[in-house]
Structures are given as structure tokens and as C-alpha cells.
Amino acid sequence: MWTDKQRGIRVSQEELLCKNACGYYGNPAWQGFCSKCWRERARQAGAPRQDARPSNDGTPLTFSKFEEKKNTEKGRRINTMRRLFWGSPSPPKRQDSPEGYTNVLKAYQSLKPGDFTTFLKTLRSPSSQRLQSRCTAFLNTMEAYHDLPVQKQSDLVQDFYQSFAEYFSSLPEAQVTQIMEHVEKLIMTRLHKWVFCHDSCDDEQKDLALQRRIRSLNWVTPQMLSVPFPDKQTAVSGDPFLPAITAIIEMDAKRAPQDKLACVSKCSQHVFEALSTSNSEPANADDFLSGLIYVVLKANPPRLHSNMQYVIRFGLPHSLMAGESGYYFTNLSCAMAFIEKLDGPALNLSPEEFEGYMLRQHAPSVGEKRRQVVSDTQHLLEELKGRQEKLDQGVDTLNVELNKWVQAVHSQLDEATTQFALVQKEITAQTELSQAFSSSSHTASLQGDDNDQSVLVLTDLHAGPKDTDC
């Protein structure tokens, strides 16, 4: 096991949670807060300030009206979104007939997780015509005002999610979440080309800077990151993290935030699988984060910063605040922050050694590489020796079992031969007895016929004279 002194990467569960102690996962992009607390904090920023100028009555003036104005603007924006979405400041639940509303809910309740095709068919049905028309109106409006700042577009999309979810407020939370995942995929697949890597932000520049940073760290080895998998795995079966590298690269090809999150989850699961193949104990948070950093350095995913910001801005809040996807995404954000601030002590290197690696002044020594090759070869030989011993044991066991089987076959064959001889003798004896019985019966029958003829002759002799007299 690796000691804490050897590890330069340590993270606890508490460090992944929101600074506001709300129980949800935080994110470095939100300064350690979750999305909900971050939005609330940004909305209330500067509200409780005081003015140094005294008022007429000698008490200081406060800016409480500023907070009231911010809340009013927030409510006005939500009402504007509702008017755009429903045609009024309130959802259409009260406008639709109870029977129609119930039919709509039943149609959406029957949806299965991930069945996006059925969701589209349900949305296009006559009972959902109002929902479909409002989605279309929102998409057309967002495309028409695609020049708005990306943060403003993010607020509009999040308000749209909230307004849409209010229509299904009577359903269980799990079903509302499932419906909203379909809505997110529908909306963001259309808006991806307008809002991804928007011109109003510096995502493209940060992508290039991050890619240059990762390329400059291509000398980092798994041993420096204390990734707990043995080197013999690489020599025998290739890099066990290759499936995770492939999954994280695929994220850029997806459009919907939930599909990008699915790639992150898939990558993280492959990291856990790679760690479990070489460690008898389950991987802890430190092992997972080290492996994830190694995967990011090896993959250098395209537009990683833009993809993560896209998920943060336009993804459903619950996907990032809790659950498996939220945990994996938070760790990926930590991995990015670690790479951006990576230094010598984190890799168990002195500052001089780290600077030398970064300036390409020296690489891992030849002696170290030779020792590594010798270690890999020794591990390979030990594994081959173990396999040969197991093979020899298997051959010996097979020979013993084969001899036992041959002996058993011979024994069964001898027993069958003996039984066959006994049965054959018994059959022969029965045949001879049957023939003897038949012969004696035939002889007795012949003797009976002779006796009958003698009696007839004697009878005729006695009857002859009487006939002459007559």
C-alpha cells in the first residue's frame, strides 16, 4: 500500500461537498459551492452593504432596496419566461381541463428511462400540443437572440427548465427528473451550435491554454502520480486505462449535457475497473483522483474546458449537485484544477527537478528506465513461471484423472464381459432344455398313436366271425 508520505494527491469526501454545507457536491468553477448556492450567492452579492454617508436622522443608509430590486428583476425574468413559455405568468395547469391535464400526466408517466423516442412521440401527440408549441417558441426565441451573453442565455435556459418542471409538479420527483432529462436533451441538442463555446466568453482561449499545459506535462508517469496499478499490467495486457481515455475523448462529440455527463461517468467507471484489476482492496478517493488525473494527461481531451462549462451552464442542476454523475463531474473538475496548479511537491519532486522536466532539460534517467525495464521483465518472468507451474500441475492432475478413467473403463468392460458370458450360458441352457422338452413330447405323442392302432386291430379281430355268420 502507498503511504500518505508518498502520495501528493489527497482528497476527502468533505472537500468535494459544497462550502455552504448544504449536502450537495461543490465545484471549483463555482468556488467550491454547488450550483444552487452559487446562484443564490451571486444573486445576493453586494446586497447587505452600507453607505458611509449619514442620513438626515443620523442613521446610516443601507442598500436593502438594492437586494429588493435584484429579487424583483429575478421574479420579472421568471415571469417573462413563463409568459414566453405558457402565454401567461402561471403554468397552464389551471387553464387546461382536469381531464386533459390528467391525460397528459398519464402519457408522461408511462415513459421509460432513456426512451427519448417515445418522449418525442408523446410531445407531438394532440394532448401535448401546447407543450410542443411552447418548446418550439422558446427554441426559436433563443436562436433569434443567440448574440446574448452566454451567462444570460444560461439563466434563460435554467428558468425554462424551472417553468417546464412546474407543469409536472404533481408527479413524483423521480418522474419529473426523468421528464426533464428528455426536455434537456431536446432543447440543448438544438441550441448546442449557438451556445457552445460562445463568442461572449473566453472558453476557446482557456481550451488552448489547458491543452498546452497538458502537453507540457506529457513526461508525468503513473509512478509520479502514485497511481496504484502494477507495471506488469502494462507489460502484459497494455494500458488498463485505455477504455477510460477513449470515453473521455468521446465527450466532445456529444451535444446534450447529460450525454457529456454520461461520458464522464463511463470514464470514471473504467478508472475504477482499472484500479480494481491490480489492487485487492477497493479504490479510495485518492486512488480514483490520481487515476483520473493520469487519464486526462494521457488523453488531452479536445475542448475540455468548454465542454465542462457547457454542462455547468446548461445542464440540469440535480445532475451536478448529487448522485453518481455529480460525484464524477466534481472529481473531474478537481483533476483539471490540480493539473492547472501542478507543482513538484504534488509529484514528490523537488522544485528544481520539476522545473527541469518542464523545460525539457532532463527526462527520467537511463538508469531508471533500465531498472524499470528489468523490473517489468522480472515481473513478466515471474508471471510466466507461475503460469507454467499451474500448467504443469494441471497436466499432472489430468494424467491422474485419465488413468483413473481408463482403469474404470477396463473394470466396467471386464464386468460387462463376465456378465455377458453368464447370460450366454444361461440362454444356451434354456435353449437345450427347451429342445429336450420338445423331443420328449414328440416321442410320447408317437407312442400314443401306436397304442390306439393296436386297440383297433384287436377290436376288428374280435368282430370278424360274427360278421361271417351273418
Side-chain angles (χ1 to χ4, degrees):
M1 294 295 296
W2 297 88
T3 62
D4 292 338
K5 184 176 180 181
Q6 290 175 311
R7 289 193 179 280
I9 305 172
R10 291 191 297 270
V11 63
S12 62
Q13 182 70 15
E14 290 74 14
E15 294 175 342
L16 298 178
L17 298 178
C18 177
K19 289 183 179 180
N20 206 25
C22 64
Y24 295 115
Y25 289 116
N27 196 291
W30 298 318
Q31 299 181 6
F33 294 94
C34 67
S35 63
K36 181 179 179 181
C37 295
W38 171 252
R39 291 181 184 276
E40 292 293 333
R41 185 172 179 269
R43 188 165 58 246
Q44 298 176 1
R49 295 178 299 176
Q50 291 186 347
D51 193 354
R53 295 175 299 173
S55 62
N56 294 332
D57 58 357
T59 59
L61 293 174
T62 64
F63 284 87
S64 59
K65 292 185 177 181
F66 179 78
E67 180 180 3
E68 182 179 355
K69 180 180 179 181
K70 294 287 291 184
N71 293 333
T72 303
E73 291 179 354
K74 174 67 175 178
R76 186 180 305 166
R77 191 178 72 224
I78 294 178
N79 290 334
T80 302
M81 179 57 59
R82 287 176 176 175
R83 289 190 182 94
L84 174 63
F85 183 59
W86 304 118
S88 66
S90 61
K93 179 179 178 180
R94 299 178 181 178
Q95 299 177 4
D96 294 342
S97 63
E99 293 81 7
Y101 180 69
T102 302
N103 293 334
V104 173
L105 293 185
K106 288 182 178 179
Y108 285 95
Q109 278 180 316
S110 61
L111 291 175
K112 297 180 180 179
D115 192 357
F116 185 65
T117 303
T118 304
F119 168 77
L120 292 179
K121 293 180 180 179
T122 305
L123 187 63
R124 294 169 182 171
S125 62
S127 60
S128 300
Q129 185 176 2
R130 184 177 178 82
L131 296 176
Q132 180 188 3
S133 61
R134 298 310 175 183
C135 288
T136 303
F138 175 75
L139 289 172
N140 293 336
T141 303
M142 290 294 296
E143 292 179 1
Y145 293 95
H146 64 272
D147 291 334
L148 288 175
V150 66
Q151 188 57 46
K152 180 67 174 179
Q153 297 188 37
S154 173
D155 293 338
L156 292 176
V157 171
Q158 295 298 330
D159 293 340
F160 175 81
Y161 291 157
Q162 182 179 354
S163 300
F164 202 103
E166 288 178 358
Y167 185 80
F168 301 96
S169 58
S170 60
L171 295 179
E173 183 178 356
Q175 292 183 346
V176 177
T177 299
Q178 177 182 325
I179 295 172
M180 292 310 301
E181 288 177 352
H182 294 309
V183 173
E184 179 213 82
K185 188 170 185 177
L186 171 65
I187 297 300
M188 297 316 303
T189 301
R190 282 278 303 274
L191 297 181
H192 177 270
K193 63 180 180 180
W194 300 110
V195 300
F196 183 79
C197 198
H198 199 266
D199 295 337
S200 63
C201 59
D202 57 349
D203 289 346
E204 185 175 358
Q205 290 77 12
K206 291 185 177 180
D207 284 330
L208 296 176
L210 181 61
Q211 286 187 338
R212 288 193 296 267
R213 174 67 173 175
I214 293 177
R215 281 197 298 268
S216 67
L217 295 171
N218 61 357
W219 49 268
V220 177
T221 63
Q223 292 75 23
M224 293 179 180
L225 292 170
S226 301
V227 177
F229 74 93
D231 298 329
K232 64 180 181 179
Q233 290 285 344
T234 302
V236 175
S237 58
D239 193 342
F241 290 93
L242 184 58
I245 294 172
T246 303
I248 196 65
I249 291 177
E250 291 177 351
M251 181 173 62
D252 187 58
K254 307 299 181 180
R255 292 189 176 184
Q258 60 180 279
D259 293 337
K260 294 182 182 293
L261 273 177
C263 291
V264 176
S265 299
K266 184 178 178 181
C267 169
S268 302
Q269 292 168 1
H270 284 310
V271 170
F272 276 111
E273 291 175 1
L275 295 174
S276 64
T277 57
S278 57
N279 203 350
S280 58
E281 299 180 359
N284 54 33
D286 293 339
D287 298 336
F288 170 64
L289 184 58
S290 299
L292 190 58
I293 293 171
Y294 172 74
V295 167
V296 174
L297 291 176
K298 291 285 289 184
N300 197 0
R303 301 190 293 185
L304 180 59
H305 175 81
S306 294
N307 281 292
M308 296 190 65
Q309 289 298 316
Y310 176 76
V311 174
I312 290 172
R313 292 165 182 159
F314 301 103
L316 294 173
H318 74 271
S319 300
L320 303 179
M321 294 166 56
E324 188 179 65
S325 60
Y327 175 78
Y328 293 150
F329 188 82
T330 300
N331 275 273
L332 181 59
S333 301
C334 293
M336 285 182 56
F338 179 85
I339 291 173
E340 292 174 352
K341 301 178 180 179
L342 187 62
D343 56 4
L347 300 176
N348 299 318
L349 298 175
S350 65
E352 293 77 13
E353 290 176 332
F354 181 81
E355 189 68 20
Y357 284 121
M358 292 296 294
L359 297 176
R360 299 295 190 273
Q361 293 178 353
H362 58 84
S365 62
V366 177
E368 181 180 353
K369 290 183 178 180
R370 289 179 178 176
R371 288 193 298 270
Q372 188 67 34
V373 172
V374 171
S375 177
D376 294 342
T377 305
Q378 184 177 0
H379 284 306
L380 181 59
L381 291 176
E382 291 177 355
E383 182 174 354
L384 293 176
K385 182 179 179 181
R387 291 181 180 180
Q388 184 65 37
E389 292 177 353
K390 291 182 180 180
L391 182 60
D392 294 339
Q393 294 176 359
V395 171
D396 295 338
T397 304
L398 182 61
N399 288 331
V400 172
E401 293 178 355
L402 183 60
N403 292 332
K404 290 181 179 179
W405 179 78
V406 171
Q407 293 176 1
V409 170
H410 287 166
S411 176
Q412 293 177 1
L413 183 60
D414 294 340
E415 183 178 357
T417 302
T418 303
Q419 291 179 357
F420 178 76
L422 294 175
V423 171
Q424 189 176 13
K425 289 181 180 179
E426 183 178 356
I427 292 174
T428 303
Q430 291 180 356
T431 302
E432 293 177 352
L433 180 62
S434 176
Q435 291 177 354
F437 178 76
S438 300
S439 177
S440 61
S441 298
H442 181 67
T443 303
S445 176
L446 293 177
Q447 291 177 355
D449 294 339
D450 293 340
N451 293 333
D452 292 339
Q453 291 179 358
S454 298
V455 171
L456 290 175
V457 170
L458 291 176
T459 302
D460 292 338
L461 290 176
H462 286 289
K466 292 180 181 182
D467 293 338
T468 304
D469 293 336
C470 294

mmCIF file of all heavy atoms in Angstrom, residues 242-269:
data_model
loop_
_atom_site.group_PDB
_atom_site.id
_atom_site.type_symbol
_atom_site.label_atom_id
_atom_site.label_comp_id
_atom_site.label_asym_id
_atom_site.label_seq_id
_atom_site.Cartn_x
_atom_site.Cartn_y
_atom_site.Cartn_z
ATOM 1 N N LEU A 242 -6.867 2.540 -20.942
ATOM 2 C CA LEU A 242 -7.214 2.903 -22.316
ATOM 3 C C LEU A 242 -8.724 3.074 -22.520
ATOM 4 O O LEU A 242 -9.155 4.029 -23.189
ATOM 5 C CB LEU A 242 -6.659 1.857 -23.280
ATOM 6 C CG LEU A 242 -6.852 2.153 -24.777
ATOM 7 C CD1 LEU A 242 -6.220 3.477 -25.156
ATOM 8 C CD2 LEU A 242 -6.267 1.028 -25.623
ATOM 9 N N PRO A 243 -9.599 2.203 -21.980
ATOM 10 C CA PRO A 243 -11.047 2.457 -22.139
ATOM 11 C C PRO A 243 -11.496 3.773 -21.524
ATOM 12 O O PRO A 243 -12.360 4.459 -22.078
ATOM 13 C CB PRO A 243 -11.687 1.262 -21.428
ATOM 14 C CG PRO A 243 -10.656 0.191 -21.476
ATOM 15 C CD PRO A 243 -9.347 0.895 -21.344
ATOM 16 N N ALA A 244 -10.904 4.151 -20.392
ATOM 17 C CA ALA A 244 -11.261 5.434 -19.772
ATOM 18 C C ALA A 244 -10.796 6.599 -20.640
ATOM 19 O O ALA A 244 -11.495 7.609 -20.770
ATOM 20 C CB ALA A 244 -10.634 5.521 -18.381
ATOM 21 N N ILE A 245 -9.624 6.481 -21.247
ATOM 22 C CA ILE A 245 -9.115 7.532 -22.133
ATOM 23 C C ILE A 245 -10.046 7.692 -23.334
ATOM 24 O O ILE A 245 -10.374 8.823 -23.745
ATOM 25 C CB ILE A 245 -7.677 7.191 -22.579
ATOM 26 C CG1 ILE A 245 -6.732 7.228 -21.372
ATOM 27 C CG2 ILE A 245 -7.205 8.150 -23.655
ATOM 28 C CD1 ILE A 245 -5.333 6.729 -21.679
ATOM 29 N N THR A 246 -10.492 6.583 -23.889
ATOM 30 C CA THR A 246 -11.402 6.645 -25.033
ATOM 31 C C THR A 246 -12.728 7.309 -24.656
ATOM 32 O O THR A 246 -13.279 8.109 -25.416
ATOM 33 C CB THR A 246 -11.662 5.234 -25.574
ATOM 34 O OG1 THR A 246 -10.415 4.620 -25.919
ATOM 35 C CG2 THR A 246 -12.546 5.276 -26.801
ATOM 36 N N ALA A 247 -13.242 6.986 -23.472
ATOM 37 C CA ALA A 247 -14.538 7.534 -23.046
ATOM 38 C C ALA A 247 -14.474 9.045 -22.854
ATOM 39 O O ALA A 247 -15.401 9.765 -23.242
ATOM 40 C CB ALA A 247 -14.994 6.842 -21.765
ATOM 41 N N ILE A 248 -13.395 9.555 -22.263
ATOM 42 C CA ILE A 248 -13.310 10.994 -22.018
ATOM 43 C C ILE A 248 -13.106 11.768 -23.312
ATOM 44 O O ILE A 248 -13.541 12.916 -23.445
ATOM 45 C CB ILE A 248 -12.173 11.296 -21.007
ATOM 46 C CG1 ILE A 248 -12.307 12.712 -20.447
ATOM 47 C CG2 ILE A 248 -10.821 11.111 -21.638
ATOM 48 C CD1 ILE A 248 -13.538 12.922 -19.612
ATOM 49 N N ILE A 249 -12.480 11.146 -24.303
ATOM 50 C CA ILE A 249 -12.315 11.814 -25.600
ATOM 51 C C ILE A 249 -13.652 11.906 -26.326
ATOM 52 O O ILE A 249 -13.919 12.877 -27.049
ATOM 53 C CB ILE A 249 -11.267 11.062 -26.446
ATOM 54 C CG1 ILE A 249 -9.870 11.232 -25.823
ATOM 55 C CG2 ILE A 249 -11.253 11.573 -27.887
ATOM 56 C CD1 ILE A 249 -8.786 10.460 -26.540
ATOM 57 N N GLU A 250 -14.521 10.925 -26.133
ATOM 58 C CA GLU A 250 -15.822 10.915 -26.807
ATOM 59 C C GLU A 250 -16.749 12.023 -26.323
ATOM 60 O O GLU A 250 -17.751 12.309 -26.977
ATOM 61 C CB GLU A 250 -16.505 9.558 -26.593
ATOM 62 C CG GLU A 250 -15.829 8.398 -27.317
ATOM 63 C CD GLU A 250 -16.501 7.075 -27.011
ATOM 64 O OE1 GLU A 250 -17.366 7.056 -26.101
ATOM 65 O OE2 GLU A 250 -16.164 6.068 -27.651
ATOM 66 N N MET A 251 -16.439 12.639 -25.189
ATOM 67 C CA MET A 251 -17.332 13.651 -24.630
ATOM 68 C C MET A 251 -17.539 14.814 -25.592
ATOM 69 O O MET A 251 -18.629 15.384 -25.675
ATOM 70 C CB MET A 251 -16.779 14.159 -23.294
ATOM 71 C CG MET A 251 -17.656 15.206 -22.632
ATOM 72 S SD MET A 251 -17.113 15.667 -20.971
ATOM 73 C CE MET A 251 -15.486 16.335 -21.333
ATOM 74 N N ASP A 252 -16.525 15.214 -26.346
ATOM 75 C CA ASP A 252 -16.640 16.368 -27.229
ATOM 76 C C ASP A 252 -17.601 16.120 -28.381
ATOM 77 O O ASP A 252 -18.126 17.077 -28.970
ATOM 78 C CB ASP A 252 -15.254 16.734 -27.774
ATOM 79 C CG ASP A 252 -15.265 18.033 -28.558
ATOM 80 O OD1 ASP A 252 -15.658 19.063 -27.987
ATOM 81 O OD2 ASP A 252 -14.913 18.002 -29.756
ATOM 82 N N ALA A 253 -17.850 14.855 -28.723
ATOM 83 C CA ALA A 253 -18.745 14.547 -29.844
ATOM 84 C C ALA A 253 -20.215 14.593 -29.455
ATOM 85 O O ALA A 253 -21.083 14.544 -30.341
ATOM 86 C CB ALA A 253 -18.416 13.171 -30.419
ATOM 87 N N LYS A 254 -20.526 14.690 -28.165
ATOM 88 C CA LYS A 254 -21.912 14.712 -27.716
ATOM 89 C C LYS A 254 -22.432 16.149 -27.689
ATOM 90 O O LYS A 254 -21.672 17.106 -27.593
ATOM 91 C CB LYS A 254 -22.038 14.086 -26.329
ATOM 92 C CG LYS A 254 -21.436 12.691 -26.221
ATOM 93 C CD LYS A 254 -22.122 11.716 -27.158
ATOM 94 C CE LYS A 254 -21.520 10.315 -27.034
ATOM 95 N NZ LYS A 254 -22.181 9.352 -27.933
ATOM 96 N N ARG A 255 -23.760 16.292 -27.753
ATOM 97 C CA ARG A 255 -24.390 17.609 -27.756
ATOM 98 C C ARG A 255 -25.144 17.911 -26.473
ATOM 99 O O ARG A 255 -25.020 19.007 -25.938
ATOM 100 C CB ARG A 255 -25.334 17.730 -28.959
ATOM 101 C CG ARG A 255 -24.627 17.755 -30.304
ATOM 102 C CD ARG A 255 -25.609 18.096 -31.410
ATOM 103 N NE ARG A 255 -24.945 18.212 -32.707
ATOM 104 C CZ ARG A 255 -25.546 18.567 -33.834
ATOM 105 N NH1 ARG A 255 -26.851 18.845 -33.812
ATOM 106 N NH2 ARG A 255 -24.883 18.632 -34.965
ATOM 107 N N ALA A 256 -25.934 16.965 -26.015
ATOM 108 C CA ALA A 256 -26.713 17.199 -24.799
ATOM 109 C C ALA A 256 -25.811 17.120 -23.568
ATOM 110 O O ALA A 256 -24.918 16.278 -23.499
ATOM 111 C CB ALA A 256 -27.836 16.169 -24.694
ATOM 112 N N PRO A 257 -26.014 17.998 -22.575
ATOM 113 C CA PRO A 257 -25.190 17.936 -21.356
ATOM 114 C C PRO A 257 -25.237 16.584 -20.673
ATOM 115 O O PRO A 257 -24.222 16.113 -20.161
ATOM 116 C CB PRO A 257 -25.801 19.046 -20.481
ATOM 117 C CG PRO A 257 -26.387 20.021 -21.449
ATOM 118 C CD PRO A 257 -26.913 19.177 -22.587
ATOM 119 N N GLN A 258 -26.404 15.939 -20.658
ATOM 120 C CA GLN A 258 -26.482 14.643 -19.988
ATOM 121 C C GLN A 258 -25.668 13.584 -20.720
ATOM 122 O O GLN A 258 -25.134 12.668 -20.096
ATOM 123 C CB GLN A 258 -27.937 14.201 -19.886
ATOM 124 C CG GLN A 258 -28.638 14.036 -21.221
ATOM 125 C CD GLN A 258 -30.076 13.605 -21.049
ATOM 126 O OE1 GLN A 258 -30.365 12.423 -20.836
ATOM 127 N NE2 GLN A 258 -30.983 14.558 -21.127
ATOM 128 N N ASP A 259 -25.547 13.690 -22.056
ATOM 129 C CA ASP A 259 -24.717 12.748 -22.801
ATOM 130 C C ASP A 259 -23.235 12.978 -22.505
ATOM 131 O O ASP A 259 -22.447 12.023 -22.441
ATOM 132 C CB ASP A 259 -24.979 12.879 -24.294
ATOM 133 C CG ASP A 259 -26.391 12.436 -24.674
ATOM 134 O OD1 ASP A 259 -26.984 11.656 -23.908
ATOM 135 O OD2 ASP A 259 -26.892 12.880 -25.724
ATOM 136 N N LYS A 260 -22.856 14.224 -22.341
ATOM 137 C CA LYS A 260 -21.465 14.512 -21.947
ATOM 138 C C LYS A 260 -21.190 13.992 -20.542
ATOM 139 O O LYS A 260 -20.110 13.442 -20.263
ATOM 140 C CB LYS A 260 -21.208 16.023 -22.029
ATOM 141 C CG LYS A 260 -21.268 16.590 -23.449
ATOM 142 C CD LYS A 260 -20.968 18.074 -23.467
ATOM 143 C CE LYS A 260 -21.064 18.647 -24.881
ATOM 144 N NZ LYS A 260 -20.011 18.139 -25.776
ATOM 145 N N LEU A 261 -22.165 14.166 -19.650
ATOM 146 C CA LEU A 261 -22.009 13.623 -18.302
ATOM 147 C C LEU A 261 -21.924 12.101 -18.325
ATOM 148 O O LEU A 261 -21.195 11.497 -17.519
ATOM 149 C CB LEU A 261 -23.188 14.054 -17.430
ATOM 150 C CG LEU A 261 -23.063 15.393 -16.712
ATOM 151 C CD1 LEU A 261 -24.345 15.697 -15.944
ATOM 152 C CD2 LEU A 261 -21.878 15.432 -15.787
ATOM 153 N N ALA A 262 -22.652 11.474 -19.238
ATOM 154 C CA ALA A 262 -22.584 10.015 -19.354
ATOM 155 C C ALA A 262 -21.178 9.565 -19.747
ATOM 156 O O ALA A 262 -20.693 8.531 -19.274
ATOM 157 C CB ALA A 262 -23.613 9.521 -20.373
ATOM 158 N N CYS A 263 -20.513 10.331 -20.600
ATOM 159 C CA CYS A 263 -19.129 10.003 -20.970
ATOM 160 C C CYS A 263 -18.204 10.133 -19.764
ATOM 161 O O CYS A 263 -17.290 9.325 -19.572
ATOM 162 C CB CYS A 263 -18.666 10.917 -22.103
ATOM 163 S SG CYS A 263 -19.480 10.623 -23.690
ATOM 164 N N VAL A 264 -18.434 11.166 -18.940
ATOM 165 C CA VAL A 264 -17.629 11.335 -17.728
ATOM 166 C C VAL A 264 -17.851 10.171 -16.775
ATOM 167 O O VAL A 264 -16.896 9.627 -16.188
ATOM 168 C CB VAL A 264 -17.969 12.673 -17.051
ATOM 169 C CG1 VAL A 264 -17.215 12.828 -15.727
ATOM 170 C CG2 VAL A 264 -17.632 13.841 -17.972
ATOM 171 N N SER A 265 -19.102 9.757 -16.610
ATOM 172 C CA SER A 265 -19.401 8.619 -15.737
ATOM 173 C C SER A 265 -18.781 7.334 -16.272
ATOM 174 O O SER A 265 -18.231 6.532 -15.509
ATOM 175 C CB SER A 265 -20.914 8.458 -15.599
ATOM 176 O OG SER A 265 -21.507 9.610 -15.029
ATOM 177 N N LYS A 266 -18.862 7.132 -17.573
ATOM 178 C CA LYS A 266 -18.274 5.945 -18.181
ATOM 179 C C LYS A 266 -16.765 5.925 -17.991
ATOM 180 O O LYS A 266 -16.174 4.891 -17.663
ATOM 181 C CB LYS A 266 -18.623 5.906 -19.665
ATOM 182 C CG LYS A 266 -18.149 4.674 -20.403
ATOM 183 C CD LYS A 266 -18.584 4.724 -21.858
ATOM 184 C CE LYS A 266 -18.082 3.509 -22.629
ATOM 185 N NZ LYS A 266 -18.491 3.570 -24.059
ATOM 186 N N CYS A 267 -16.138 7.074 -18.196
ATOM 187 C CA CYS A 267 -14.691 7.180 -17.986
ATOM 188 C C CYS A 267 -14.337 6.855 -16.539
ATOM 189 O O CYS A 267 -13.390 6.100 -16.271
ATOM 190 C CB CYS A 267 -14.225 8.585 -18.359
ATOM 191 S SG CYS A 267 -12.541 8.989 -17.859
ATOM 192 N N SER A 268 -15.086 7.401 -15.589
ATOM 193 C CA SER A 268 -14.787 7.180 -14.169
ATOM 194 C C SER A 268 -14.965 5.714 -13.790
ATOM 195 O O SER A 268 -14.182 5.160 -13.017
ATOM 196 C CB SER A 268 -15.693 8.069 -13.318
ATOM 197 O OG SER A 268 -15.523 9.438 -13.645
ATOM 198 N N GLN A 269 -15.995 5.080 -14.326
ATOM 199 C CA GLN A 269 -16.189 3.665 -14.032
ATOM 200 C C GLN A 269 -15.052 2.813 -14.575
ATOM 201 O O GLN A 269 -14.620 1.844 -13.929
ATOM 202 C CB GLN A 269 -17.527 3.215 -14.618
ATOM 203 C CG GLN A 269 -18.730 3.832 -13.921
ATOM 204 C CD GLN A 269 -20.027 3.612 -14.673
ATOM 205 O OE1 GLN A 269 -20.044 2.972 -15.730
ATOM 206 N NE2 GLN A 269 -21.125 4.131 -14.151
#
